[in-house]
Amino acid sequence: MGEEKIQIIQGDITKLEVDAIVNAANNSLLGGGGVDAAIHRVAGPELLEECRELHGCLTGEAKITKGYNLPVRYVIHTVGPVWHGGARGESEKLKSCYQSCFALSEVHKITTIAFPAISTGVYGYPIEEATQVAVKEAMNFLQKNSLMEKIIFVCFGEPVYQCYLETLKSFSHEEP
Ligand code: AR6
């Protein structure tokens, strides 16, 4: 239940016209590489100014800003865990990222949200494990929140795209 509201696409998250996009940031919230750099580049310098006022963000938590020059109302900045082999609470922290983003989406009445594959770039989280967490948390949230209309997972590249599709299929076929 809820999987019809989950969409998996390939592309650049900065191009999406949704209520909110999620940024895979670092603890400083002051920019970096990967999707973080792309988001700041398109949003413009005002995003960095607002981020400075937030005084960073703990791993697994999330903070919200406006979207500035992006075609979105909000950017939700979350900090994923760095992968150290899986025994240092990485999955709990990644789960907490998704839950923190969804909690903010409820507060701000966000109905469409797009996520990159948090932690799977520079932070080295294996994509198969990361997509399990992402899809599971999205489905859990959709079961208890009726306002959310669409959750989009934006994939950079075909392998990531295929991995999300497989994961969604496996969850959809699970017995309730
Ligand atoms: N749209 C969608 N996905 C993207 C885009 C884009 N424009 N650009 C990259 N990706 P990463 P992390 C994918 O490294 O692993 C930054 O320096 C990318 O292919 O951006 O959480 C931060 O400041 C990968 O699948 O984030 C932190 O220091 C996914 O987005 C650190 O990297 C996440 O890769 C965070 O590392």
Side-chain angles (χ1 to χ4, degrees):
M1 200 182 84
E3 63 265 22
E4 69 285 351
K5 292 184 176 175
I6 298 178
Q7 199 181 339
I8 297 161
I9 63 167
Q10 275 196 73
D12 179 354
I13 201 165
T14 65
K15 303 257 190 288
L16 294 190
E17 295 182 19
V18 285
D19 283 347
I21 59 170
V22 173
N23 183 16
N26 58 52
N27 296 120
S28 77
L29 295 185
L30 299 179
V35 70
D36 197 3
I39 287 172
H40 277 275
R41 196 180 314 122
V42 178
E46 285 171 304
L47 178 61
L48 187 58
E49 277 172 36
E50 187 176 353
C51 283
R52 275 190 219 288
E53 291 165 16
L54 299 176
H55 304 294
C57 181
L58 293 173
T59 302
E61 295 188 1
K63 293 192 176 179
I64 194 163
T65 64
K66 288 182 274 190
Y68 300 98
N69 294 333
L70 287 156
V72 296
R73 281 165 55 211
Y74 301 107
V75 178
I76 298 177
H77 308 260
T78 190
V79 184
V82 176
W83 181 258
H84 290 291
R88 291 209 210 162
E90 289 94 331
S91 65
E92 280 305 309
K93 285 179 193 145
L94 188 60
K95 183 172 148 184
S96 169
C97 285
Y98 285 95
Q99 290 179 350
S100 302
C101 292
F102 287 131
L104 282 172
S105 80
E106 278 188 306
V107 172
H108 294 273
K109 304 198 170 13
I110 287 162
T111 62
T112 52
I113 188 168
F115 287 88
I118 300 163
S119 280
T120 68
V122 176
Y123 282 180
Y125 206 115
I127 188 70
E128 287 82 6
E129 280 90 336
T131 56
Q132 295 276 332
V133 174
V135 173
K136 186 171 180 208
E137 291 312 313
M139 290 183 69
N140 284 347
F141 178 70
L142 287 169
Q143 280 183 3
K144 56 186 172 68
N145 177 287
S146 55
L147 197 66
M148 186 61 77
E149 290 165 9
K150 207 191 296 176
I151 298 173
I152 306 174
F153 291 112
V154 187
C155 308
F156 233 39
E158 181 70 20
V160 175
Y161 177 68
Q162 289 303 332
C163 191
Y164 270 102
L165 286 182
E166 287 296 317
T167 306
L168 183 61
K169 205 161 71 179
S170 69
F171 276 106
S172 307
H173 291 167
E174 260 180 20
E175 293 298 320

